Amino acid sequence: MSILKIVKMGDPLLAAIAKPVADLDDELLQQISDMIATMRFYQGVGLAAPQVALLRQIVVLEVAQNERYPQADSIELDVLINPKILDYSEQKNRAWEGCLSIPGLRGQIERSSSISYQAMNRQGKLVTKTVHDFHARIIQHEVDHLNGILYPQRLDERHEFGFEDSLPAFKSG
Ligand code: NI
């Protein structure tokens, strides 16, 4: 497994639209393993393929004792291939988001509290799930990456965006 280089905000790769995966071949499975290793290495809770310069519709996510999100409940490792969000709850909530492509910064973003989605897993099986709160937030953030959207584009309060060591509201939790 290799730790991949993370593409940073400003790179046009992060504004591109990722292509669907048609065939889960060995090379792609290896790239998925590398994405998981990279997410863990950088203490991410999710990673989308364009962030490692791979323009394919692949997302990995996992929450386990994370220093960057210490209050978050655990979420088992998951791989979402060609994810589609089928339904967004009308109920929304706001929370601080970060992104491995925008290191050191945080922004408070409104997202749907629950979503239903469909995706293929690493075994090629189509899975439909409904998830809530932080889990729903991660998937909305990562699916945005597949559509070339970064969270600062969703900011509605410009003062709620800045460096995590400088934002009073972020530091106070
Ligand atoms: Ni991100």
Side-chain angles (χ1 to χ4, degrees), residues 51 98-100 141-142 145:
Q51 293 182 275
C99 181
L100 295 178
H141 175 116
E142 301 307 335
H145 275 296

Side-chain angles (χ1 to χ4, degrees), residues 1-167:
M1 269 192 286
S2 332
I3 306 300
L4 306 171
K5 182 172 180 257
I6 299 211
V7 176
K8 303 279 172 31
M9 182 168 69
D11 191 309
L13 279 169
L14 293 174
I17 307 287
K19 290 197 181 80
V21 173
D23 191 20
L24 260 186
D25 56 22
D26 286 348
E27 190 189 351
L28 214 49
L29 289 169
Q30 182 58 51
Q31 283 168 317
I32 291 170
S33 296
D34 291 344
M35 282 177 66
I36 294 167
T38 303
M39 168 177 70
R40 288 174 171 164
F41 183 80
Y42 288 107
Q43 289 271 313
V45 291
L47 187 71
Q51 293 182 275
V52 291
L54 179 64
L55 283 178
R56 308 302 296 273
Q57 292 182 13
I58 302 169
V59 163
V60 299
L61 63 110
E62 178 182 49
V63 181
Q65 282 307 306
N66 192 292
E67 279 172 27
R68 292 176 64 243
Y69 297 91
Q71 267 109 42
D73 290 336
S74 302
I75 300 171
E76 244 179 77
L77 175 67
D78 211 352
V79 177
L80 279 55
I81 299 160
N82 302 338
K84 277 186 186 54
I85 299 180
L86 306 171
D87 195 46
Y88 295 85
S89 65
E90 265 176 52
Q91 193 193 345
K92 297 185 181 204
N93 64 62
R94 301 174 66 79
W96 293 100
E97 289 188 17
C99 181
L100 295 178
S101 294
I102 315 172
L105 288 143
R106 299 285 177 138
Q108 188 144 112
I109 306 292
E110 187 179 84
R111 303 271 189 193
S112 284
S113 305
S114 305
I115 57 159
S116 300
Y117 72 90
Q118 191 169 63
M120 198 163 74
N121 65 17
R122 268 194 286 184
Q123 287 73 42
K125 191 174 164 232
L126 205 56
V127 177
T128 305
K129 271 191 205 172
T130 300
V131 294
H132 310 282
D133 304 315
F134 193 52
H135 197 163
R137 175 171 295 277
I138 294 171
I139 292 176
Q140 289 171 85
H141 175 116
E142 301 307 335
V143 169
D144 269 356
H145 275 296
L146 303 181
N147 293 310
I149 298 167
L150 299 177
Y151 79 77
Q153 290 166 254
R154 296 208 179 272
L155 282 168
D156 51 10
E157 295 286 347
R158 282 180 201 187
H159 65 277
E160 291 180 330
F161 179 51
F163 288 95
E164 54 197 13
D165 60 3
S166 304
L167 279 163

